[in-house]
Every structure is written in C-alpha cells, then in structure tokens.
Amino acid sequence: MKPIEQTVPARFYRSPSQVMRLTRMGCSHPTRLSFLRQLLRRLKKENWSFDRPVWQINRQGVGHAVYRAQGPERCYSLVAFAHDLPEEMRSDRVIATAWDATFTLFDGTPSTADIERLERNVPLQEAGRISAKELSLSRANRSVRLFEYVVKELAQGRQPERSRLEQTGYLMRTTAVYGTGKFGAADRSTLVNRPEMQAPFQAEMLSVWLTRAFTVDLVEHLAAEQGGVQAVKLDPTLRRLLGVGNSTGLGMAPFLVRHPVLIHHWFAAREEALARVRSQPKLAPATLDQFCEALREAQENAVQWQSEHPLQVAKLTELREGLRQLQAFVHEEWDTAQIYPWDVLWQWGERKLPIEAQEALLALLLEPHGELVDDLGDQMAIDEEVTFKVDGRQSIGELRKHLHSHFAWALGTDYQQPEQCARFWYVSEEKLEPRLGERHCEAGAEREQPLDIGRQVAELCDLLKEWSERIPVAHLLLLRPEFRSIVRRVQLSAHYPFAEIQDNLISAEMLPIDLLRSKLAFFGATRFDPRSDRWVRISLFQGEPYPDELNHADVS
Amino acid sequence: MQMSPENQQVLEDCCPSIELWFAQSELQQLVVKAARGAGYCWSDAEEIGWAAAWLSKFGLPGGDFMLSLMQSNDLQAPRPATRCWKGNNHPLCPLRCGLALMDFAQLPEGLGASSLVIESVMGLPCLLPFAARTARQIQHPLQIQWEEQSLFLNQDAQPSLEINQVSMEFGKTVDVRITRSNSNMVSIETKNPQYCVGVSKQILEQLEAFAHQTLVPASDLSRLRAGGHDDPTS
C-alpha cells in the first residue's frame, strides 16, 4: 500500500515534528476516525443483527453466555464466562491469575464442544490455549462499588443515581484484551480479506462492545435473582452512560515503537483529515450547527471527566478553560464568512489554546465532516510485511541525508548523560509484562528491549562518520549487522514521516502515560484517568448505543 | 519444562499429537525472543523470527531450522564478489548469506544479470526465506539449485510446489546456485500459505529456554515500578 497521499496544499498540514512529540501525543482525544467509531459505523451501515443464543448464568452470577453479531457474510460470537472471584484475588495487574469474567471472540457460532473447550482454557487466560477459531482473549473485573450498588438498586425496583453512574462510568473494566496471533488465536493474516476486519483492532473493539452488553445483562440478571418480581431493568438512558472500563499499564506502549509504518498510517490519516477540513473554502450552516453541538458535548464531557492524578488534573483544567475560550471565540469573534473559516479557527486555536485544548479542537473539527474524512479510516491499516526491507543499494551519503532530515530530534541529545539514558524497557519474567526500569539503580539493563530509537539513531550517525559517502549500505550491514533495524527505520522515514515518536524514550523525563493516551485515543477511549505515570484507566463505548439500539441510533 | 495438569489439558485440547499450534505471527515473536536469548543482536533476531514464520507458512519446520541455526557455531559471513561468494575454510552462515543476498541483489556483487553461486552454505533452509524476499525485492522469479535439487521463488516471495518434495537438512553443507529465472512463474504452481503452524513440544521447550534469557527476573522494586498502584476495590 502506498503512503497516504497529501491532497490539499501543504500549508494546511501539521509537520511530524509538531505532531509526533510526546507532550502533544499525551493530549490526544478520540476522533471520528477512532477504531471503535469505525466499527459502529460499519455495523450500522451494513445492518448487522445481534442476539444472545446462550445464557447459562446461575443465581450467583456464575456460568457462561454467548453474544452473536451477524453481518452480511460472517458472524462472530463473544463467549463470556462469569466467575465467582474471591475478593482477595481481584487485581487489575497483568500478573493476576483470576478475574470476575473472561471472554473470547469466536469466529462464527460456537458448538457445544467449542464452548466446552473454551471453558477449560479461556478462564486461564495466558496460561490457557485458544485456537485459530478465536480472534481475541480478554478478561474483566467488576467496579466493585458501582456493580454491587446497581444490582442492589435494581433488585429493589429503583434506578441507580445518575451521578454515581457518571462518576465511575462502567460496571466492569477489562484488564487485558489480547488480539489475533496471541495464545493460539488466529493469525491476523487470515482476516485480511474480510472488509469488517480491515481497520485496526476491529475484532478487539467488537469483543469489548459485546462485553459492555454482557455487563449490563449480568447486573440485571443478578438483580432479578435477588429482587424477584420487584426487580427492574436499567433505564436505557442511564444504561447509555456506561461504557466498558479499561485498566492498562506499560504493556501497550512498545507497540507504538515496534510498528512504525502502521503508526504512520494512523497519524497520517488523522492529519490528512485535519488538513482537508482546514482547506474547506466555505462553511455550511448545518456543519456549523453540528460543530457547535459537538463543542457543547465536549464541554459537558470535560466537566464529567474526573481524575485525581496531578498530571491529569492540570490537563483537565486546561481543557475546560480552553473549551470555554473556544466557545467564546466561536460565538463572539469568529468570522465564518471568511475564506477558509475552519483554518482561521484552527490557527486561532494554535495561537491561543493550550495543547490539551488544541487536540480537542482537532477532534471537534473532524466531527461534522464525516463525508469529507471518513474514507480515511480505510487507510489506517497496512501490510507491514512489504515494508520489512532494507535498500542495500542506497549510498551512505543518501542514508546520512535521511538521517539528518528526519531524525534531527534524536541527534542533539547526549545519551551518555545519566538523565538521558535513565530508563530501560524490559520484559519481566512475571507473565511477560513489559516494564520500565531505572538503569542506574536497577538490575536487568543488559536485557533491554530495543525501544531506544533516539539513541540508536545517534549511534548510527556516529558510525557513518567513518564511512565514505559513495559506499552502498549493503557493505555497512555486512560488517555491522546490528545496525540493520535502525538503518531500515531511517530508510522508512523518507516515505513514512509520522513513523517515529520524536522523543527520547529512555529519558528520565519521559512519561509513559503519554504513549498510552495516544494509542488509547486512536482506539476511541474517553475519560483518561491516570493512576500513576505508567498506569491508566479509561472508558470505551461510553455514550454509544448497545447492540439492541444500533439500528435506531445515530452513530455518525 | 514441567507442565501443570491444567496446561496438559490445554495441550490435549488443542493438539491431538505432540504438537502445539501457533499463529504464524506468534511463532515469529517467540523465535525473535529465542534468537535474541541465544545471543544474536536484535536486528538479526528480527530477521530470524521472520524467516521462521516464512518457512512455517509454507509447510517447513521453521522453528526447528532456526533453532538449529541458534545452536550452530563457527559459521562465517560470505565475502560478496561477482558471480561467486566464498567463505574462509568454514561453512557459510545461511543468515549472513541470506541478508547479504538481499542487500547486494542489485549491486555488481549480487545477482547481476544472470546467476550467483554461494559455496559451502550450511543450513540451506534458513537461506530460502531471504532468497524469496530477494525475488520480491528485484521483482523477478529466482531459481534455487543445490546438488540435484531445485525450486523456484516468485516475485511475491512464494515458493513453487517443489518445496514439498525437496530434501533439506540443516547440517549439510552445499553449494547453492541462485539464478534469475526465465520461467514464467504464472505457469508454475506455488505453495499455498498456512497461518496456523505446529511446533513440537521438544522444539518449543528449547525455543522457550532461549527466549527466557531475554526476560528480567522479577523483584519487589520492578513490581512497584511496573506502575501497579491501582486500587482494585474501586
């Protein structure tokens, strides 16, 4: 696949050096190109149907259920197992060994034998083994306070308080969602010809969306068991307030570094969308109305968005204040009759708003422009195999030119300074959890993962000083094969300018949650709530329709 | 490796024989870690993992062959020269030859207009994936010949059906001729890829033992710094 082509004048684009910095990536907001939004649009457009053919859950809430999504050509089934988890075993950490519920997304409709096989394996998660018939493996824990409260209220015939639902935002939070190619699950290559699986992480998003339906069914089931005839179901309006929580740590950070070409496509698609909107010469009144409605919703969301972590508290303050300024400008100063009115608004935002609010503005600008930008969702996936290559003919001089053109951000740093190489990424023996160590006071740096891209580039730059301009790269790699990976990245940078995070990922100052937020925003996550600088809770599908509502809902 | 009763049950569920089934990408990731654990640099480990996946995709025991590579000593890099690559009285390393084949493919020391002979290569199967990628890179089918055997690789990096019949041993040293093929690959049937691959328990244990060398032992400090201060009761 060719890199995404820029279709509008260059002045409407942001540069990779502006976009790919951690401080900005750590302010990312979900957009209409986010993967869960793409999923819902497709399911609605293609008129998918949903049912729950199996519900074998007992009075204690233990058992299994199957949720089926039937599309035009294929169906997928979430097989959910509900467990009786002792309080002392409940942990969101990857090193946990038991959970309130475990799940797999089955390719088709599972037979009784399939369910029996899955029942022996899925509850074990990483210690079990699934098969090529499955597309994901995940688990979730209850939000204990909210889950029990909602069951109790419904059992007594009352609806839960809206404010308590808003405060937590979910009944269960997933603590890991493994996708294709993990623990025996189907290889991603087997899905490439399925249109519904073209966009990134669609199997995982479908799994989480059906999990959300399961969490509500489970509280209603337990309420009915406890309250008998007086029990009521959750009001659909209140139900919408609930998403699926997700608690995640460093595990998802390395992905952004290990898939440079894929990441380029995510960011390039989003930036292309922004440029298309900015380059619109005129503004239609209906589009303006939709923008104002999206801004109002964003302000409401910013008020409901709670966090106690100091980093996020500061960002939320900036977001709320920035959105207030934006609203004032839109209603009082913005001349919508000017040529390129959206660009005028964007440029005002870049001058006046903090980064947190600038990135929110980006999401808001895309919101009323579905017809203009939604096709870019198709360009957010890539067959990485074809880019796994090195051009051995390229001269050292040419390589050096690319290195200085695209990696200037990496070359001004002295990686010998303790603070510039303070951290090292590694994989722990404990359930293969990715972790971040302190190089100067912690053991294990000799087993470092190669995520130190900036430092590798600087080492390559030093090496190239010893080589003559005209020699082909093939000769360099014959003698110094350890530089192959970084040479490939430098060569790729010429075609994929958004492939690299332009910051030192082993610096003492680096905040891993910036990486997490960026990736989670592409998923479509909201309510980003850090619990530390490397651990975060978010919500998925909050405010979106449930399967039984999809056909009548607005999922633009 | 001692298997728990639970995992034994899992093994029986998924694998009627002694094989455990992997997604191609899962095997690739395991072999990358194993190669790194065996002492290869990360760049080589990535390539070894990719090559294991390619072999497995086309029905050959990629994990087994790459494990043999990891366990081999004294294999040398080639000295690329026009038409013929030689070593220095030691067998040539298939990884080094394969990577150099790709890198030099469009240089005078590489395939040139006709053919190239690489002498005394150990572990021919480990060379094939890189030859396939070379065919894709130069967008021209290649014929690979050794002893009395041959197969074709097309410009989509797919092997011809002969890959089912040829005899390949890792431990044998052979001279390999690589030729720009005149055959029309459209008329040559290629092997269909498979994305679910079997790995024997014995090979898996050895790969995992190497892969384990990339892991850092857990400690209270590392647990703390993993960021896990989350309150599970909330």
Side-chain angles (χ1 to χ4, degrees):
Chain A
M1 185 183 289
K2 287 182 182 173
I4 293 169
E5 289 179 12
Q6 298 192 342
T7 58
V8 300
R11 64 192 166 94
F12 294 112
Y13 289 91
R14 298 197 290 183
S15 70
S17 62
Q18 182 184 8
V19 173
M20 302 306 291
R21 300 303 301 269
L22 278 179
T23 47
R24 188 172 291 277
M25 292 170 68
C27 294
S28 300
H29 290 260
T31 71
R32 61 180 302 124
L33 293 177
S34 296
F35 307 143
L36 71 80
R37 298 274 301 271
Q38 290 195 51
L39 172 78
L40 293 181
R41 279 200 296 272
R42 174 179 288 278
L43 298 184
K44 163 108 178 168
K45 185 179 162 194
E46 295 180 349
N47 201 24
W48 285 55
S49 62
F50 309 93
D51 65 354
R52 194 184 75 183
V54 179
W55 181 263
Q56 292 187 16
I57 306 283
N58 67 17
R59 289 178 64 87
Q60 287 72 42
V62 176
H64 71 272
V66 175
Y67 290 75
R68 189 163 50 185
Q70 177 68 56
E73 290 183 59
R74 281 169 286 273
C75 83
Y76 302 91
S77 301
L78 179 78
V79 185
F81 297 96
H83 309 293
D84 181 17
L85 181 68
E87 193 66 35
E88 66 277 11
M89 293 187 74
R90 185 171 290 113
S91 168
D92 286 0
R93 294 287 307 281
V94 75
I95 54 177
T97 55
W99 303 269
D100 283 315
T102 52
F103 310 90
T104 187
L105 188 70
F106 186 88
D107 191 5
T109 300
S111 65
T112 304
D114 286 322
I115 291 177
E116 287 172 1
R117 171 177 59 82
L118 294 170
E119 194 164 18
R120 286 194 294 271
N121 289 288
V122 172
L124 301 176
Q125 295 284 291
E126 296 95 334
R129 197 78 192 156
I130 52 176
S131 76
K133 292 180 178 177
E134 285 82 50
L135 307 179
S136 74
L137 181 70
S138 59
R139 67 286 191 110
N141 283 335
R142 295 174 182 178
S143 167
V144 177
R145 288 175 209 148
L146 188 67
F147 192 95
E148 290 175 357
Y149 163 72
V150 173
V151 170
K152 188 175 152 204
E153 294 298 295
L154 296 179
Q156 294 179 1
R158 295 190 298 265
Q159 291 297 325
E161 288 177 24
R162 182 185 177 98
S163 62
R164 292 192 64 171
L165 298 184
E166 284 176 342
Q167 187 182 6
T168 301
Y170 50 81
L171 295 165
M172 282 190 175
R173 57 178 170 268
T174 54
T175 65
V177 181
Y178 296 110
T180 47
K182 299 278 189 186
F183 309 109
D187 197 276
R188 165 107 186 125
S189 306
T190 61
L191 305 179
V192 291
N193 294 322
R194 303 184 185 191
E196 69 273 20
M197 292 291 155
Q198 284 298 298
F201 293 100
Q202 294 300 279
E204 292 86 344
M205 293 294 111
L206 178 60
S207 160
V208 172
W209 187 55
L210 296 174
T211 295
R212 178 183 181 226
F214 167 77
T215 67
V216 174
D217 287 356
L218 189 60
V219 291
E220 290 180 341
H221 170 83
L222 289 170
E225 292 291 347
Q226 289 176 21
V229 291
Q230 68 172 341
V232 293
K233 288 188 176 297
L234 190 58
D235 180 273
T237 312
L238 294 175
R239 190 173 72 151
R240 277 278 188 115
L241 300 173
L242 298 171
V244 174
N246 177 269
S247 181
T248 193
L250 295 173
M252 64 165 49
F255 182 94
L256 290 171
V257 184
R258 292 203 168 115
H259 298 274
V261 179
L262 180 64
I263 296 312
H264 163 87
H265 280 75
W266 294 5
F267 281 91
R270 195 192 66 185
E271 294 304 311
E272 172 67 22
L274 175 62
R276 285 185 188 176
V277 174
R278 288 175 61 187
S279 66
Q280 293 304 294
K282 289 182 185 169
L283 172 157
T287 313
L288 178 61
D289 290 346
Q290 289 170 37
F291 173 78
C292 291
E293 175 60 16
L295 175 55
R296 190 195 60 74
E297 286 177 8
Q299 286 184 289
E300 194 178 303
N301 180 62
V303 171
Q304 290 167 1
W305 185 349
Q306 299 294 324
S307 177
E308 293 173 6
H309 196 276
L311 289 166
Q312 191 60 25
V313 167
K315 287 188 174 186
L316 283 174
T317 303
E318 289 185 353
L319 177 64
R320 289 169 189 147
E321 174 57 19
L323 292 176
R324 189 197 62 73
Q325 289 178 48
L326 175 60
Q327 191 194 32
F329 179 78
V330 165
H331 288 105
E332 295 163 19
E333 297 180 50
W334 184 27
D335 179 3
T336 57
Q338 291 175 90
I339 190 164
Y340 303 120
W342 297 109
D343 189 51
V344 170
L345 179 60
W346 175 256
Q347 291 199 33
W348 170 86
E350 283 200 316
R351 286 194 308 274
K352 300 289 186 185
L353 297 177
I355 293 177
E356 177 72 36
Q358 287 178 28
E359 296 305 301
L361 175 57
L362 185 159
L364 290 170
L365 289 181
L366 303 200
E367 205 52 43
H369 289 101
E371 285 188 12
L372 187 66
V373 305
D374 283 352
D375 65 300
L376 291 164
D378 297 339
Q379 299 183 40
M380 296 174 88
I382 173 78
D383 177 7
E384 292 177 291
E385 164 87 14
V386 296
T387 62
F388 187 62
K389 61 183 179 186
V390 164
D391 180 1
R393 287 176 304 175
Q394 186 176 66
S395 70
I396 297 292
E398 191 74 8
L399 181 69
R400 192 181 284 141
K401 199 172 82 183
H402 287 313
L403 194 150
H404 286 281
S405 298
H406 302 289
F407 290 87
W409 59 268
L411 300 179
T413 302
D414 178 1
Y415 296 93
Q416 301 297 319
Q417 293 298 314
E419 68 276 14
Q420 298 297 350
C421 62
R423 268 83 170 271
F424 68 100
W425 293 85
Y426 67 92
V427 178
S428 170
E429 273 184 6
E430 282 185 323
K431 288 187 87 174
L432 308 183
E433 187 180 40
R435 291 180 182 172
L436 193 58
E438 297 294 327
R439 187 183 309 278
H440 307 301
C441 61
E442 206 172 333
E446 72 281 2
R447 296 184 175 189
E448 182 171 10
Q449 296 286 309
L451 305 186
D452 54 335
I453 303 303
R455 185 170 63 171
Q456 291 181 47
V457 166
E459 288 171 357
L460 176 62
C461 187
D462 282 344
L463 177 72
L464 294 185
K465 289 173 185 163
E466 304 161 12
W467 286 72
S468 163
E469 293 269 314
R470 291 185 181 177
I471 295 178
V473 161
H475 290 271
L476 173 82
L477 295 180
L478 189 65
L479 289 182
R480 301 300 298 268
E482 70 272 25
F483 282 91
R484 170 174 290 275
S485 292
I486 199 66
V487 165
R488 183 170 56 242
R489 290 185 89 109
V490 173
Q491 291 187 340
L492 285 172
S493 68
H495 305 286
Y496 305 101
F498 291 98
E500 299 291 349
I501 298 165
Q502 301 194 6
D503 269 300
N504 177 10
L505 298 181
I506 55 171
S507 147
E509 303 296 316
M510 188 268 303
L511 291 174
I513 48 169
D514 289 339
L515 292 161
L516 305 185
R517 179 161 166 184
S518 178
K519 186 177 175 195
L520 288 164
F522 274 106
F523 284 9
T526 55
R527 307 291 169 87
F528 189 82
D529 180 16
R531 317 304 280 190
S532 75
D533 69 347
R534 56 193 72 181
W535 191 259
V536 65
R537 287 186 185 177
I538 49 102
S539 187
L540 292 163
F541 292 103
Q542 199 167 19
E544 301 291 351
Y546 284 77
D548 61 353
E549 301 171 317
L550 189 68
N551 286 338
H552 311 290
D554 174 14
V555 292
S556 64
Chain B
M1 183 189 293
Q2 189 73 34
M3 292 193 91
S4 69
E6 281 173 340
N7 280 359
Q8 187 59 50
Q9 179 63 54
V10 171
L11 193 64
E12 288 166 12
D13 281 344
C14 295
C15 329
S17 68
I18 56 164
E19 287 196 326
L20 196 59
W21 291 94
F22 280 74
Q24 180 203 320
S25 55
E26 189 178 12
L27 175 69
Q28 179 169 345
Q29 288 165 22
L30 172 62
V31 175
V32 169
K33 291 177 206 163
R36 174 62 178 162
Y40 286 89
C41 63
W42 279 114
S43 288
D44 283 348
E46 274 185 0
E47 297 288 351
I48 292 169
W50 176 85
W54 185 91
L55 289 167
S56 301
K57 185 161 76 172
F58 295 110
L60 295 177
D64 305 34
F65 284 137
M66 292 301 160
L67 180 64
S68 297
L69 176 66
M70 293 172 212
Q71 294 167 331
S72 300
N73 297 315
D74 296 330
L75 299 180
Q76 288 196 336
R79 288 177 296 169
T82 310
R83 285 196 287 278
C84 184
W85 295 5
K86 296 172 188 281
N88 188 18
N89 299 325
H90 282 278
L92 292 178
C93 170
L95 173 69
R96 296 265 80 82
C97 289
L99 293 174
L101 182 65
M102 293 191 300
D103 293 344
F104 284 90
Q106 288 151 298
L107 293 170
E109 303 92 332
L111 281 168
S114 55
S115 68
L116 171 71
V117 174
I118 308 180
E119 291 185 356
S120 304
V121 183
M122 173 85 88
L124 172 68
C126 299
L127 174 66
L128 285 184
F130 303 107
R133 228 158 87 197
T134 304
R136 184 169 63 196
Q137 192 172 311
I138 63 173
Q139 282 296 294
H140 197 100
L142 296 177
Q143 184 179 21
I144 313 295
Q145 295 165 287
W146 69 100
E147 298 182 318
E148 303 300 317
Q149 306 187 80
S150 84
L151 59 81
F152 294 89
L153 299 161
N154 74 5
Q155 39 292 53
D156 293 323
Q158 295 168 321
S160 58
L161 281 179
E162 285 95 352
I163 200 164
N164 290 335
Q165 288 110 38
V166 292
S167 163
M168 283 185 284
E169 296 169 34
F170 183 90
K172 202 168 184 181
T173 299
V174 294
D175 295 342
V176 184
R177 176 177 293 276
I178 302 164
T179 311
R180 284 175 181 262
S181 170
N182 293 322
S183 299
N184 179 0
M185 282 297 289
V186 177
S187 64
I188 295 176
E189 203 173 346
T190 55
K191 171 98 175 164
N192 287 328
Q194 58 189 52
Y195 296 101
C196 185
V197 297
V199 181
S200 75
K201 189 177 158 195
Q202 185 191 9
I203 297 297
L204 181 64
E205 284 178 359
Q206 293 180 73
L207 289 172
E208 286 186 334
F210 274 135
H212 193 265
Q213 300 300 312
T214 64
L215 306 179
V216 175
S219 67
D220 289 342
L221 187 62
S222 76
R223 239 167 255 137
L224 191 68
R225 288 195 169 133
H229 307 291
D230 214 357
D231 173 10
T233 64
S234 60

